[in-house]
Amino acid sequence: MDSSTEEIRKSIEKIHERFYIGYHGVKLPHKFKIATGGCPNNCVKPDLNDLGIIGQRIPNFDEDMCNGCKKCQVANMCPMKACKVEDGVLEIDPEVCNNCGRCVGQCPFDAIEDGKYGFKIYIGGRWGKKVAHGIPLTRIFTSEEEVLDMVESAILLFRDEGISGERFADTVARVGFENAEKAILSDDLLARKEEILENVEIIFNPNGLRTPSFEVQLSTDGVNYEKVYSRY
């Protein structure tokens, strides 16, 4: 088990305590599913849930240590083909690299000796009859507390902006991803937490208000460990 998977596992019970238990009496417009995955292999499909968390290992590339080998072991190892040697030095395309961490330790000259662990967060995913792929926030988070705050901000955004009966994917689409991301990344939602939870008037749709609902799919890739918490 690598450290990114272990970090995800450590966060599981905190997610359970803070949101499944802590938000027990909070009414949301619809159910809200949280899924976690230990690495970008995406086995548990976190990006197809209202909010998904995927472990990352960002390679620390030291260009000065690179010898520009014609048969680069890092480039050969990369499953995303994000690495290639150009003009005698390795280049890693950040738009292609998914931070799986498989390149770490592969260079015999220690050009990628280690990597920084982090978390990527997706919002607005949904699976079922109408599939929606979650969109990643533009930041990669490197602390557990940051991640938990982002989860809470997303839930508060859903409570604040959501219309009864619509899924979070629809809320994100309606307000716009850029606006949703800006709100989640700011401190405003957490600062207004008490106001949002106590004073928000929920708009009813013709189907009526659903009861509070959370499904927290807490899974890690590469280990036989999975819990699913549901409340309807």
Side-chain angles (χ1 to χ4, degrees):
M1 184 189 308
D2 66 28
S3 296
S4 63
T5 299
E6 183 61 23
E7 288 301 313
I8 288 286
R9 289 191 62 171
K10 289 178 181 178
S11 301
I12 284 174
E13 294 305 326
K14 291 184 180 180
I15 293 173
H16 172 77
E17 292 289 334
R18 184 163 168 177
F19 303 114
Y20 185 75
I21 294 176
Y23 272 69
H24 178 85
V26 175
K27 292 184 178 180
L28 296 177
H30 209 295
K31 62 186 174 184
F32 192 91
K33 298 182 178 182
I34 303 170
T36 68
C39 76
N41 284 345
N42 214 26
C43 298
V44 75
K45 302 177 180 61
D47 60 338
L48 292 182
N49 290 267
D50 298 284
L51 187 141
I53 304 167
I54 297 179
Q56 304 277 282
R57 193 178 187 189
I58 308 157
N60 291 328
F61 173 51
D62 186 347
E63 185 175 319
D64 293 336
M65 299 296 290
C66 177
N67 281 10
C69 302
K70 291 183 178 180
K71 292 185 177 180
C72 175
Q73 294 186 34
V74 171
N76 290 340
M77 171 61 68
C78 179
M80 301 300 294
K81 306 303 179 185
C83 306
K84 59 182 177 180
V85 176
E86 288 193 353
D87 298 325
V89 66
L90 179 70
E91 291 189 1
I92 302 176
D93 187 342
E95 298 299 320
V96 179
C97 176
N98 68 349
N99 298 319
C100 68
R102 290 183 63 182
C103 60
V104 174
Q106 296 301 317
C107 175
F109 302 103
D110 296 329
I112 306 180
E113 192 172 5
D114 58 15
K116 188 173 185 178
Y117 291 103
F119 309 86
K120 181 177 282 190
I121 297 177
Y122 289 78
I123 62 170
R126 177 182 59 212
W127 57 275
K129 288 181 288 187
K130 295 182 178 180
V131 175
H133 287 270
I135 304 173
L137 300 180
T138 51
R139 282 180 54 193
I140 292 177
F141 303 90
T142 55
S143 80
E144 183 183 77
E145 195 57 37
E146 270 189 314
V147 172
L148 295 174
D149 283 347
M150 293 304 102
V151 174
E152 187 159 23
S153 290
I155 294 171
L156 291 172
L157 176 68
F158 193 28
R159 163 84 180 198
D160 196 32
E161 295 285 352
I163 297 173
S164 175
E166 77 175 358
R167 291 295 300 272
F168 188 49
D170 300 317
T171 303
V172 171
R174 179 167 52 78
V175 304
F177 172 77
E178 290 183 358
N179 293 327
E181 179 183 44
K182 183 178 179 181
I184 291 170
L185 293 178
S186 75
D187 296 328
D188 178 66
L189 290 164
L190 290 174
R192 295 192 299 113
K193 176 180 176 178
E194 185 176 345
E195 172 195 342
I196 291 171
L197 295 182
E198 291 184 359
N199 300 325
V200 170
E201 179 182 355
I202 299 179
I203 302 172
F204 284 79
N205 69 6
N207 296 321
L209 179 67
R210 289 178 62 99
T211 55
S213 176
F214 278 88
E215 180 177 310
V216 186
Q217 185 175 346
L218 304 172
S219 308
T220 55
D221 302 332
V223 292
N224 184 22
Y225 183 85
E226 180 169 339
K227 291 185 180 180
V228 177
Y229 300 104
S230 302
R231 177 178 295 124
Y232 296 95

